[in-house]
Amino acid sequence: LPALKIIGTGNGRVSHGAQHFLDEVGIKQVSPREFLEQEFEFPVYTVAKLPDTVCRIDDESIFDREEFHSHPELYKSNFLRFAKVTDIFIPCHYWGPEDPIYLGKENLRNPEVKIKVIGDVTCDIMGSVQSTLRPSTHKEPFYYYNPCTEMEEIAFSSESNVTVMAVDTLPNALALDTSDYFGKALVKHVINDMLRGNTDESDVINRATILKNGKLTERFAYLRDYAYSE
């Protein structure tokens, strides 16, 4: 591979899966600071976690995780500095509608932004990465995003466009492994408690329960407007 710079975001299972793949193909991991400040003669990747990608609107040196989750409107994206030195972007972070946009349309038009390939594992349509216009499929995983028109174009039709991969059912590509993993997890954390009648005592089941006795649970109360809309 040429001397590419690849960045992944997030610190959950999705991100760790992407990191595992990059490690297996022999790409060296570097720190975010090294990624920003140094040039390399071989391909490298880094992982930008939440404190690396967002900051307070009024003070870029401040990040408070608890405050961010409670008041995301007080924060803005700090990702542009990475976008200016990155060739391939693999978004693996969780994103909520109130959270800052990492890579907006105006950023994608910025001539200083080097990113040419985005493997959007998060696949939030017009979410934190606004080149993701729609999900793609296993059969046709790629499409082009034209930063000037903000429209989709046929993949590999112009070098000035951004290549997008946004398959929203990626685990299905590894059906046997996925079924085995989720099956074992369900047996261990869900099925046994259900068979024993321990659903009320199970933290896993309680966190995953959307409706209880015909009402939205507190964790999913944000769906109330959608659920009761006509």
Side-chain angles (χ1 to χ4, degrees), residues 174-193:
L174 299 168
L176 180 61
D177 303 76
T178 304
S179 297
D180 181 67
Y181 175 82
F182 282 112
K184 289 178 179 177
L186 282 171
V187 170
K188 180 179 179 180
H189 299 291
V190 178
I191 301 299
N192 285 336
D193 281 325

Side-chain angles (χ1 to χ4, degrees), residues 63-184:
F63 173 79
D64 183 291
R65 185 178 298 274
E66 185 173 336
E67 180 186 60
F68 172 76
H69 289 305
S70 301
H71 298 284
E73 72 279 3
L74 299 178
Y75 285 77
K76 65 178 182 179
S77 169
N78 196 22
F79 186 75
L80 183 60
R81 58 194 179 130
F82 289 104
K84 291 179 178 180
V85 298
T86 295
D87 299 294
I88 299 175
F89 177 24
I90 308 176
C92 299
H93 56 273
Y94 170 80
W95 184 80
E98 303 301 321
D99 295 347
I101 294 172
Y102 282 34
L103 199 60
K105 296 176 181 178
E106 68 283 357
N107 301 133
L108 290 158
R109 286 194 297 271
N110 187 334
E112 292 185 276
V113 170
K114 289 185 60 182
I115 295 173
K116 285 300 181 183
V117 178
I118 300 176
D120 192 355
V121 186
T122 64
C123 200
D124 295 314
I125 306 304
M126 288 301 293
S128 63
V129 183
Q130 294 195 326
S131 55
T132 304
L133 303 176
R134 64 170 178 85
S136 53
T137 65
H138 294 279
K139 186 176 181 180
E140 297 182 353
F142 304 104
Y143 58 85
Y144 260 170
Y145 173 80
N146 185 322
C148 296
T149 64
E150 301 176 3
M151 301 287 287
E152 176 184 339
E153 294 186 5
I154 298 172
F156 313 118
S157 59
S158 170
E159 293 185 1
S160 62
N161 291 337
V162 178
T163 302
V164 176
M165 187 289 297
V167 178
D168 59 352
T169 55
L170 278 178
N172 293 347
L174 299 168
L176 180 61
D177 303 76
T178 304
S179 297
D180 181 67
Y181 175 82
F182 282 112
K184 289 178 179 177

